[in-house]
Amino acid sequence: MTANTPPKTPVSLLGLGAMGAALARAWLAAGHPLTVWNRTPARAEALAAEGAKAADGAAGAVAASDLVVVCLLDDESVGSALDGVDLAGKDLVNLTTTTPAQARARAAWAGERGARYLDGGIMAVPPMIGVPEAGGYVFYSGSRELFESHRAALAVPVGTEYVGEDAGFAALHDVALLSGMYGMFAGAAHAFALIRREDIDPVAFAPLLSGYLSAMADPYVLQTADRLKSGDLTTGVVSHLAMQVAGTPTFLATAEGQGVSTELLRPYFELMHRRLDVGNGDEDLTGVVDLLLR
């Protein structure tokens, strides 16, 4: 470090599972003073051998740094680990997977204890941490001041995406994207099931499926967003709802003929039918979104 090089922000990290350990190693590699704590001391000792300072308890870890990052199993674990710990004046960043409601409640809880709070939703798996070209990032929401104060340190392990002052927004973005992912996985699973018993090489079929899903997903997502914002569900529609509903029996009959369950397709097709039944045949599929609201 030269005289003109600003010192690296000290970080305290609570939780050293696969993700926590990956985060720890990224901060250590970047030269950040790091204090770690884990309920299983052996995990902290392993990081200590690599240059971290192992705290005797959660309170000691919190006391060691202004920036405190928590990456535990669930919201209950966070409350248990920090029960009775002095958080006054601390910047608490919670990377534990929670619901939006839990994140908002935890933000209020932290504020009552004198801490600034930032919630995070990690859009990466441990091997992507510390590898910028892997494309992982973390959604952050809550205190903008905290985020701006520690943006550089938070960006060391993985990219950052601030999504608003509402502490629940990071968790909401996280689950929304993952929900879209699982829906895509469901469609891919059904497609592979259709060919499973035929003399069709799944490896040869895979690039056809991948390419088609990619070609369909981008325009659908962008057009749906535009239509939800404008409220115009009919202008420029090419494949309108009535036409698509008319084609659903073919998909169901093909599945039945192939000996494949229709349980992944039927719920979505039923929503399409409901939208058509109330007179929206000239729309695209965007109207299905509002049928999901309760």
Side-chain angles (χ1 to χ4, degrees), residues 10-282:
V11 180
S12 288
L13 175 62
L14 283 68
L16 297 172
M19 181 60 74
L23 294 169
R25 291 188 170 95
W27 275 310
L28 285 173
H32 286 263
L34 182 69
T35 301
V36 296
W37 172 83
N38 194 77
R39 288 191 184 278
T40 304
R43 292 182 178 178
E45 291 166 4
L47 268 299
E50 299 178 35
K53 177 182 178 182
D56 291 335
V62 170
S65 312
D66 290 336
L67 177 59
V68 179
V69 179
V70 182
C71 188
L72 296 171
L73 177 63
D74 53 24
D75 182 67
E76 183 179 355
S77 301
V78 175
S80 176
L82 296 178
D83 183 33
V85 174
D86 183 8
L87 296 176
K90 298 297 180 178
D91 286 335
L92 181 62
V93 178
N94 187 10
L95 299 183
T96 303
T97 300
T98 64
T99 68
Q102 288 173 328
R104 290 166 182 141
R106 189 59 63 188
W109 174 90
E112 292 168 357
R113 288 157 177 77
R116 296 193 296 187
Y117 182 87
L118 195 65
D119 202 77
I122 303 176
M123 306 306 296
V125 293
M128 298 170 70
I129 303 301
V131 185
E133 59 271 23
Y137 60 93
V138 177
F139 285 122
Y140 286 106
S141 63
S143 171
R144 181 180 290 275
E145 291 78 12
L146 189 167
F147 177 74
E148 294 298 341
S149 295
H150 297 295
R151 180 196 290 261
L154 295 174
V156 167
V158 68
T160 63
E161 185 74 27
Y162 183 78
V163 291
E165 295 275 355
D166 186 321
F169 278 7
L172 185 57
H173 278 70
D174 180 14
V175 173
L177 265 61
L178 290 173
S179 296
M181 177 194 74
Y182 281 117
M184 178 186 67
F185 286 174
H190 185 86
F192 277 116
L194 288 175
I195 69 164
R196 183 66 171 151
R197 295 191 178 104
E198 302 291 348
D199 186 20
I200 296 175
D201 182 356
V203 174
F205 179 74
L208 300 175
L209 178 60
S210 176
Y212 188 74
L213 289 178
S214 297
M216 294 296 102
D218 284 352
Y220 168 77
V221 169
L222 296 176
Q223 289 169 15
T224 297
D226 287 342
R227 292 188 186 280
L228 289 172
K229 188 170 185 176
S230 70
D232 181 355
L233 309 189
T234 59
T235 300
V237 172
V238 176
S239 299
H240 57 69
L241 182 62
M243 181 180 71
Q244 296 203 50
V245 168
T248 58
T250 298
F251 294 98
L252 299 175
T254 299
E256 294 288 353
Q258 294 297 112
V260 173
S261 169
T262 60
E263 62 193 297
L264 293 176
L265 292 183
R266 281 190 183 278
Y268 191 68
F269 286 173
E270 288 169 2
L271 288 169
M272 292 166 59
H273 277 270
R274 282 173 52 195
R275 188 71 181 176
L276 179 64
D277 288 344
V278 294
N280 297 291
D282 57 346

